[in-house]
Amino acid sequence: MQPHARRTVRYDDFVARPRRRWPWVVAVVMLIAILGAAAAFFLPGSSQSYSAPVALSRAGAPVADERYQWKHVAIGGGGMISGLSSDAAGQTLVARSDVYGAYIWDKGANRWAQLVTAATMPDTARAQNGAAAGVYEIVVAPSRPGRIYMALQGRVYRSDDTGRHWMQPHAGNPFPLIWDANSEFRLHGPFMAVDPANPDVVLLGTPGTGLWRSTDAGASWDRISSIPVSKDRSPNAGAQAPGTMLWFERPAGGKPTGRLFALSSGNGMFVSADGGATFHALPASGAQPLTLQRGAFDRRGTFFGVDDVTKSIWSYRDGRWRDLTAELNLTVREYAAVAANPRADQVIVVDRGGKGYVSTDGGENWSSVTHSSAVGAGDPPWLRVANSPFFTTADLMFDAAVPNRLWVGAGMGVFYADVPPGTAALDWVSQTRGIEELVANDVIQPAGGSPIFAAWDFGIHVKDDLNAYSSTFAPGERTLMSVQQLDWTPAKPGFVVTNASDARTCCAEDGNAVMAGTSSDGGRTWRKFASLPTPPGTKADDPWRMSFGTIAVSSSDPRSIVWAPARNRQPFVTHDGGANWEAVRLSGAVGDTPGSFEHTWLQRKTVTADKAAPGTFYFYHSGEGANAALQGLWRSQDDGRSWSKVFNGEIAPVSNMAAKLRSVPGHAGHLFFTSGFEHTGDTGLRRSRDGGATWQVVADVTRVDDIAFGKAAKGARYPTIFVSGRIGGEYGIWRSVDDAQTWQRLIDFPAGTLDQVSVVGADPDVFGRVYLGYVGSGWIWGEPAPCTPAPLGARNDTQCVAVR
């Protein structure tokens, strides 16, 4: 009998299957659940009253010796933990993320702590977006728990005090090297290894320049030429392959021999008998893997690997490779991870969705494993959504100190399961508290309401308490739902719109691939748009034909909404809350793609409603493709029915990427604009006071990520302005209470984050409260507070600073 065909990701992978027993009972229960979920999503908002977070200070304006408190908005988890590492005694446990930084388990605080911060990193990383990336690899020295090596943004850092201080011990040779911690190969590894007997010997495998070795704790490095560079898997530019992967051999008995296995993708396995100084092809007869995703030695000394190309499980022992999937008729799957129990004959292999096998006899026989997940004590309650048939899995590792405890780096954080030999159930329990890894897209706060945060993958979080983990997310607890933008209107308190869409290309069977719609209770419950238009060039049966992009609601009529979808598709407007849609007609537009939002992943906000002028919308067009003539600012004064160009050409250079167009609440015709793009020479701030007809550069304000408007200071007539950017050449989070005439720097790196700001929001009811959304670490909020300034500690999650 042939192995099963390769499994592909589909809707069924994320939806629990009903039992065959008592089908009518199950059907009734499911119907009730569906009706309940539908009611929560589609019915008008609850009449329950809510209140925004209470202010920490009642000053209402700048005061002498003013202080600000900074802290992460408590949402919890949400991103891919792509790798795990520990020392041999299990004293130090670290995890790498694919979007920003890495984490260490802080036993005293009973939570994870970010390792890449302004308090821990060298001065070279203390710059705007100075370390805004995931960690390519992080490893703890097996024989020295305080020694950690971390590969970040092309360089290797070392810490000798469990990550409280990082140094860059080399003089620049050969760094910086090229890798991408968020590439399609981010779940492979490990890409670094430390000699079990000598913490000064460390090896690094890269995608494009092969294997490197240091024998002096990273002070100097040598290229190991005896092992080839990984072969590219596609013709695209750059290195399209995982880096060299590394495993120090553990033979029967567990005492390291000094031999080192190294997998060069496309070339197969190599071995070193001198601690990685030289390599030769691993002796083997017959078929063998040319690439692997993960691997591990069991306590018998057998090496097990999972092959992401052939979708096979392999074992190696006594000079022989075995394709266990073919030989034992196991299911062909996209196997992702493997772990071997150091205390028992137990090897566990799982695929990307958490399904797999366990063997207790060295791989001769295998049994299927089941999996479930639950929220651990003190963890974010919303992580219950991880309990689905598809449990996204990156890395597995047995605990070195707790017998039979298995850790997993997963798609929503870190989980563990206790799996004594003979157990076939992986009952995962989340231990994710302290990790904030959501990718921030937006944050708004309507007057009188609570702040609303929008994320990639895990939707909308309404926060009445900024210190309490989210209990749920909107527009519904679908497994994955990305929200690119939110907007509110002064015409109807609590009314919010969103363009929520699923970022996957699978799983549209539930009819909710796009959950764009409206809320009447400040984002807590939602009603989907009754219909979606079909932009030119798309088909009516394409669930994503109208998705992502930028959206705005009229300041005078909540039924009037303008939506410019992604992929440069035709913008549309509705005047009845989404029951019917009309194309936005711009004079001179040609072709099927007259829109101005190409990339689905960018935080681009270029449609806005004038918050003070009834029926007025603005649309900045970047003039891409065949529509260069459309470049400029367009305005509608009749709720989107007709449009005229009020400014021709670019407002700022390179404004086709992450540009932000902002309307000032309470001031008709007042607009601010930034290209929001760091890779250009001019990222300054522009403003207009005449509805976009003319623009002026705001003096000394450069490298602007975003701008927001909060409650005016006592006695001031203009909203408080907040900017993430440089003023006078100095980066920080800045505040102006006098219409951008003067600025105060609130802080440089809030709560120590070196991540990139992608969005700024502010509280209209509490003076000085500002929200900052980041590319890979959720949100941080700051506000005036009666706190005591102090240097930021390596494990601190709250910071107090003096305003200057």
Side-chain angles (χ1 to χ4, degrees), residues 71-434:
K71 194 172 184 179
H72 272 280
V73 176
I75 292 175
M80 176 66 74
I81 296 299
S82 52
L84 302 166
S85 181
S86 171
D87 64 287
Q91 296 183 37
T92 302
L93 176 62
V94 297
R96 62 172 158 100
S97 82
D98 58 356
V99 286
Y100 174 67
Y103 295 85
I104 187 167
W105 179 252
D106 187 334
K107 296 178 183 178
N110 191 33
R111 62 174 177 84
W112 293 92
Q114 176 62 249
L115 286 167
V116 181
T117 73
T120 65
M121 295 296 289
D123 288 343
T124 53
R126 288 176 55 87
Q128 185 177 10
N129 312 339
V135 164
Y136 175 66
E137 191 57 274
I138 186 168
V139 293
V140 185
S143 63
R144 184 173 171 179
R147 169 72 61 83
I148 309 174
Y149 295 92
M150 178 173 64
L152 170 68
Q153 286 189 316
R155 292 176 169 81
V156 174
Y157 297 87
R158 189 188 85 220
S159 173
D160 293 330
D161 58 1
T162 58
R164 288 178 171 81
H165 301 88
W166 293 96
M167 65 188 80
Q168 193 175 325
H170 46 79
N173 181 28
F175 303 98
L177 298 174
I178 296 174
W179 56 66
D180 182 0
N182 198 23
S183 78
E184 62 179 302
F185 307 110
R186 66 193 184 280
L187 306 188
H188 291 61
F191 302 123
M192 296 180 76
V194 180
D195 192 312
N198 186 349
D200 289 345
V201 176
V202 58
L203 294 100
L204 166 70
T206 68
T209 56
L211 184 62
W212 297 82
R213 180 174 184 258
S214 172
T215 60
D216 53 11
S220 61
W221 294 81
D222 294 314
R223 168 78 171 86
I224 307 302
S225 59
S226 54
I227 186 168
V229 176
S230 296
K231 292 182 179 179
D232 275 5
R233 294 193 185 182
S234 77
N236 296 334
Q240 301 297 318
T244 306
M245 289 168 272
L246 302 150
W247 301 271
F248 273 96
E249 183 181 41
R250 286 188 174 274
K255 185 177 181 180
T257 63
R259 287 215 313 170
L260 175 63
F261 282 29
L263 191 285
S264 172
S265 185
N267 299 300
M269 189 73 83
F270 293 76
V271 66
S272 170
D274 54 12
T278 59
F279 284 83
H280 60 270
L282 181 69
S285 58
Q288 54 190 286
L290 293 180
T291 189
L292 294 174
Q293 181 159 329
R294 292 280 178 177
F297 283 96
D298 75 355
R299 73 171 188 164
R300 300 182 180 199
T302 302
F303 179 82
F304 290 88
V306 290
D307 187 336
D308 58 312
V309 173
T310 64
K311 312 297 184 291
S312 301
I313 304 168
W314 292 85
S315 72
Y316 178 85
R317 186 178 179 84
D318 300 330
R320 178 191 173 204
W321 281 103
R322 297 172 62 190
D323 182 346
L324 300 177
T325 305
E327 184 178 329
L328 303 177
N329 197 34
L330 303 176
T331 302
V332 176
R333 288 190 174 123
E334 294 187 49
Y335 292 104
V338 55
N341 194 333
R343 294 179 175 83
D345 291 331
Q346 183 185 32
V347 178
I348 296 175
V349 176
V350 297
D351 68 7
R352 294 181 181 182
K355 296 180 180 179
Y357 296 102
V358 59
S359 173
T360 56
D361 58 5
E364 294 301 323
N365 295 279
W366 296 82
S367 300
S368 295
V369 296
T370 62
H371 67 81
S372 67
S373 73
V375 178
D379 257 29
W382 72 270
L383 291 180
R384 63 180 171 271
V385 302
N387 188 27
S388 73
F390 197 94
F391 183 82
T392 307
T393 303
D395 192 14
L396 294 176
M397 182 187 73
F398 271 94
D399 195 298
V402 181
N404 307 317
R405 176 158 290 183
L406 183 65
W407 292 95
V408 62
M412 297 184 196
V414 179
F415 294 69
Y416 70 87
D418 292 321
V419 286
T423 302
L426 302 178
D427 295 323
W428 300 113
V429 178
S430 71
Q431 189 165 310
T432 301
R433 50 196 175 275

Side-chain angles (χ1 to χ4, degrees), residues 43-50 519-522 524-525:
L43 293 180
S46 167
S47 60
Q48 181 177 349
S49 61
Y50 299 92
S519 171
S520 294
D521 58 2
R524 290 170 174 82
T525 61

Side-chain angles (χ1 to χ4, degrees), residues 316-690:
Y316 178 85
R317 186 178 179 84
D318 300 330
R320 178 191 173 204
W321 281 103
R322 297 172 62 190
D323 182 346
L324 300 177
T325 305
E327 184 178 329
L328 303 177
N329 197 34
L330 303 176
T331 302
V332 176
R333 288 190 174 123
E334 294 187 49
Y335 292 104
V338 55
N341 194 333
R343 294 179 175 83
D345 291 331
Q346 183 185 32
V347 178
I348 296 175
V349 176
V350 297
D351 68 7
R352 294 181 181 182
K355 296 180 180 179
Y357 296 102
V358 59
S359 173
T360 56
D361 58 5
E364 294 301 323
N365 295 279
W366 296 82
S367 300
S368 295
V369 296
T370 62
H371 67 81
S372 67
S373 73
V375 178
D379 257 29
W382 72 270
L383 291 180
R384 63 180 171 271
V385 302
N387 188 27
S388 73
F390 197 94
F391 183 82
T392 307
T393 303
D395 192 14
L396 294 176
M397 182 187 73
F398 271 94
D399 195 298
V402 181
N404 307 317
R405 176 158 290 183
L406 183 65
W407 292 95
V408 62
M412 297 184 196
V414 179
F415 294 69
Y416 70 87
D418 292 321
V419 286
T423 302
L426 302 178
D427 295 323
W428 300 113
V429 178
S430 71
Q431 189 165 310
T432 301
R433 50 196 175 275
I435 294 176
E436 293 288 350
E437 206 193 336
L438 283 176
V439 177
N441 278 335
D442 206 357
V443 53
I444 64 169
Q445 185 171 349
S450 297
I452 313 171
F453 302 87
W456 208 251
D457 291 342
F458 296 106
I460 297 166
H461 297 255
V462 183
K463 305 297 291 183
D464 303 314
D465 184 346
L466 294 166
N467 293 303
Y469 283 130
S470 296
S471 59
T472 185
F473 63 90
E477 283 190 356
R478 195 173 185 271
T479 304
L480 288 174
M481 179 51 57
S482 298
V483 177
Q484 198 150 37
Q485 193 171 355
L486 302 162
D487 195 27
W488 60 278
T489 175
K492 184 178 180 181
F495 190 88
V496 185
V497 300
T498 184
N499 55 2
S501 309
D502 190 340
R504 299 169 295 175
T505 56
C506 73
C507 313
E509 289 86 339
D510 64 353
N512 286 325
V514 175
M515 297 178 77
T518 64
S519 171
S520 294
D521 58 2
R524 290 170 174 82
T525 61
W526 291 82
R527 185 196 302 269
K528 278 205 311 183
F529 291 134
S531 69
L532 292 177
T534 301
T538 68
K539 297 181 179 179
D541 61 354
D542 176 2
W544 287 274
R545 64 190 183 276
M546 189 79 179
S547 57
F548 295 107
T550 179
I551 194 167
V553 56
S554 170
S555 63
S556 55
D557 184 355
R559 298 170 300 174
S560 296
I561 301 163
V562 175
W563 183 4
R567 304 177 185 91
N568 279 336
R569 290 175 178 168
Q570 175 75 55
F572 283 85
V573 60
T574 178
H575 302 295
D576 54 16
N580 298 279
W581 297 84
E582 304 169 10
V584 168
R585 303 295 182 186
L586 304 182
S587 178
V590 298
D592 289 343
T593 55
S596 183
F597 195 115
E598 171 61 30
H599 303 297
T600 59
W601 62 88
L602 290 175
Q603 285 76 36
R604 178 176 172 85
K605 296 171 174 61
T606 47
V607 172
T608 189
D610 194 308
K611 298 300 183 186
T616 300
F617 286 97
Y618 305 96
F619 175 27
Y620 177 74
H621 201 293
S622 58
E624 289 194 321
N627 283 284
L630 300 184
Q631 187 180 71
L633 187 71
W634 296 75
R635 182 176 64 195
S636 171
Q637 295 176 299
D638 55 6
D639 272 330
R641 292 176 174 84
S642 61
W643 296 78
S644 60
K645 184 186 281 190
V646 294
F647 183 85
N648 189 49
E650 280 191 322
I651 298 176
V654 196
S655 54
N656 63 330
M657 303 293 284
K660 312 291 196 310
L661 175 66
R662 299 296 199 183
S663 168
V664 181
H667 293 264
H670 286 215
L671 304 170
F672 283 82
F673 185 90
T674 176
S675 68
F677 189 63
E678 62 176 310
H679 304 293
T680 182
D682 182 356
T683 52
L685 185 64
R686 272 77 170 170
R687 73 174 304 170
S688 173
R689 299 177 188 271
D690 56 9

